[in-house]
Every structure is written in structure tokens, then in C-alpha cells.
């Protein structure tokens, strides 16, 4: 008797389940529960000086470890966008942030900035989940 132990390709390659981040996870609590936000592990600070109206500067790179960031223009309103072209196009492709108002960035994407009327300095503060 001859037994074939070689598996078929369909047995080797298994179908991958689609990832669904919106699928709820059932949780049952028995008694009181306390939820705390994890603290940031590291911080970073910088000031972009002399940001003008013609060429946008990258304030924040794409960073998967970033928990949050705050930006603040010191003397002029700024436009912020996820792309350099968006920030340079002004109101057509960017969001206007008033001067001296700390603006929270809660995502991981790039952030580009351009001044609205004349040059300004922009302060940046970042908190990171890990090293």
C-alpha cells in the first residue's frame, strides 16, 4: 500500500481572514473598573524659524510611535496640510490655524505648514508611545 503524504497546494495556502478594525469585541465587566491612559515614554521639541508664505515646511513626519503633538504659530496665522502642496495652496488645500493658539495633532501623518501673510516661528511639541 502506497500512501501519499504530500499535501495539495490548497491545503498549504489557507485563506487569510479580512482585517476589520470596526468589529466590536464583547467585554463583560464584573465589578468596578478603572481605565487609565498610558503615559508617553519620550517627548520631542523644536521650533521652525522664519516659516514664510511661499514654501511650506514639514513640521511633523509620518511617525507610528507618536501619541500626540501640539503646534503653535508665534506671530502669524498658518495653513497646515498633510502635503507640502496643500499647505502652499492656502485655503484651497489646507486648514487655517490662528496665531498663538496651541493646536493638537492626534494622528500619525505628516504635517506641513506655511504662513498666511508673512514669516512666523512655529513651535512643535511631540509625545511618543515608545522609543
Amino acid at each position: 500500500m502506497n500512501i501519499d503524504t504530500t499535501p495539495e497546494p490548497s491545503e498549504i495556502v489557507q485563506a487569510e481572514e479580512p482585517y476589520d478594525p470596526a468589529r466590536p469585541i464583547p467585554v463583560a465587566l464584573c465589578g468596578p473598573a478603572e481605565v487609565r491612559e498610558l503615559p508617553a515614554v519620550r517627548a520631542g521639541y523644536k521650533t521652525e524659524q522664519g516659516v514664510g508664505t511661499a514654501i511650506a515646511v514639514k513640521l511633523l513626519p509620518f511617525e507610528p510611535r507618536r501619541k500626540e503633538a501640539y503646534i503653535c504659530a508665534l506671530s502669524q496665522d498658518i495653513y497646515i496640510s498633510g502635503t507640502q502642496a496643500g499647505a502652499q495652496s492656502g485655503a484651497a488645500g489646507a486648514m487655517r490655524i490662528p496665531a498663538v493658539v496651541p493646536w493638537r495633532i492626534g494622528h500619525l501623518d505628516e504635517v506641513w505648514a506655511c504662513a498666511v501673510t508673512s514669516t512666523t516661528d512655529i513651535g512643535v511639541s511631540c509625545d511618543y508611545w515608545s522609543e
Side-chain angles (χ1 to χ4, degrees):
M1 173 166 38
N2 187 7
I3 299 175
D4 185 15
T5 57
T6 306
E8 294 294 321
S10 61
E11 295 174 335
I12 296 172
V13 181
Q14 298 178 359
E16 181 180 329
E17 290 186 26
Y19 175 68
D20 184 9
R23 184 182 311 163
I25 300 170
V27 176
L29 293 176
C30 298
E34 183 176 346
V35 178
R36 294 183 186 176
E37 183 178 353
L38 291 173
V41 184
R42 182 175 61 88
Y45 308 95
K46 73 175 183 174
T47 300
E48 289 289 340
Q49 298 179 338
V51 177
T53 59
I55 299 175
V57 297
K58 186 189 288 189
L59 297 179
L60 299 167
F62 171 76
E63 178 56 72
R65 298 171 298 170
R66 186 170 60 232
K67 177 180 176 183
E68 64 184 359
Y70 288 90
I71 59 175
C72 186
L74 303 180
S75 60
Q76 299 292 326
D77 291 2
I78 59 173
Y79 288 119
I80 65 167
S81 179
T83 63
Q84 185 177 23
Q88 290 173 184
S89 67
M95 182 172 159
R96 186 173 181 156
I97 307 297
V100 197
V101 173
W103 193 261
R104 181 183 179 274
I105 306 292
H107 57 75
L108 311 176
D109 291 335
E110 292 181 351
V111 175
W112 291 79
C114 206
V116 172
T117 54
S118 66
T119 61
T120 186
D121 294 346
I122 303 172
V124 180
S125 168
C126 297
D127 294 330
Y128 298 94
W129 289 113
S130 64
E131 290 294 327

